[in-house]
């Protein structure tokens, strides 16, 4: 749920934002919940923070987006059903100048490591290009192409299809 080991973080799935981890005081939690609510609507924010006075207040808090963009086999084209996810990213980036997004792209394990890494990079660039065409400065977008690293069992067609994806990590929104 929190691969980077952040003290506090959020998970975004199905339009809902789950704020998790530790904050130093209830006032800090309230401030973050309010800020997140302005971005996605207050009813879509779930405060799951734990209060721990020893936690520093100025730590970065990434948002891990569980909603992903899936790609066809050996394809780098963003398909129509996934455009609403990218449009939410456009809105988030447009309204919040401090926000940065890392696009983590993966492939299945079919093909060579070098080919899969290249396809993964191209998938990330396809997503980045979508936002750049919408007026987002490319300096706010990072591509983390991982190729087939951490690929699930590609002998299973369903697992292989889920490996062909772009995931998103948002920073700069929650501090």
């Amino acid at each position: 749920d929190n691969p980077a080991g952040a003290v506090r973080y959020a998970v975004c799935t199905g339009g809902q934002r789950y704020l998790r981890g530790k904050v130093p005081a209830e006032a800090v939690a309230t401030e973050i919940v309010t800020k997140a609510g302005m971005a996605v609507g207050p009813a879509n924010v779930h405060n799951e923070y734990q209060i721990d006075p020893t936690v520093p207040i100025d730590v970065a808090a990434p948002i891990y987006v569980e909603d992903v963009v899936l790609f066809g086999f050996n394809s780098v084209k963003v398909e129509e059903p996934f455009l609403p996810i990218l449009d939410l990213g456009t809105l988030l980036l447009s309204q919040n100048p401090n926000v940065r997004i890392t696009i983590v792209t993966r492939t299945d394990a079919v093909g060579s490591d070098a080919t899969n890494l290249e396809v993964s990079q191209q998938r990330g660039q396809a997503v980045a290009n979508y936002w750049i065409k919408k007026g987002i400065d490319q300096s706010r977008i990072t591509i983390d192409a991982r190729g087939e690293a951490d690929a699930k069992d590609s002998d299973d067609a369903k697992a292989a299809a889920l490996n062909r994806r772009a995931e998103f990590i948002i920073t700069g929104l929650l501090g």
Side-chain angles (χ1 to χ4, degrees):
D1 215 26
N2 180 16
V7 173
R8 61 183 165 86
Y9 60 100
V11 175
C12 185
T13 183
Q16 301 293 302
R17 188 153 299 150
Y18 299 88
L19 305 175
R20 298 179 178 153
K22 298 177 181 180
V23 293
E26 189 63 43
V28 173
T30 300
E31 179 182 345
I32 295 168
V33 168
T34 301
K35 193 175 200 181
M38 291 187 323
V40 297
N44 299 317
V45 178
H46 306 276
N47 180 359
E48 297 179 354
Y49 283 134
Q50 298 172 356
I51 306 301
D52 180 348
T54 66
V55 172
I57 193 168
D58 61 347
V59 295
I63 299 172
Y64 302 99
V65 181
E66 288 188 348
D67 298 327
V68 298
V69 171
L70 297 177
F71 293 87
F73 177 74
N74 209 28
S75 174
V76 300
K77 182 178 184 219
V78 178
E79 299 292 337
E80 184 83 24
F82 299 103
L83 294 181
I85 295 169
L86 298 186
D87 289 339
L88 283 174
T90 302
L91 183 64
L92 183 69
L93 288 160
S94 298
Q95 293 179 349
N96 300 280
N98 293 326
V99 165
R100 306 282 184 267
I101 295 183
T102 299
I103 308 162
V104 181
T105 53
R106 303 175 190 278
T107 65
D108 56 32
V110 178
S112 72
D113 289 349
T115 297
N116 287 336
L117 192 56
E118 177 63 26
V119 169
S120 184
Q121 179 66 38
Q122 290 174 3
R123 288 176 176 164
Q125 194 60 57
V127 172
N129 287 344
Y130 184 87
W131 286 326
I132 291 166
K133 288 178 184 173
K134 298 284 185 174
I136 304 302
D137 187 321
Q138 68 183 25
S139 69
R140 298 173 63 200
I141 305 164
T142 302
I143 300 169
D144 180 0
R146 297 188 182 176
E148 65 184 69
D150 306 320
K152 305 289 187 237
D153 181 11
S154 289
D155 291 335
D156 175 336
K158 188 173 182 178
L162 292 175
N163 286 327
R164 299 187 292 266
R165 69 187 185 274
E167 303 169 321
F168 307 99
I169 302 171
I170 301 165
T171 55
L173 182 64
L174 300 180

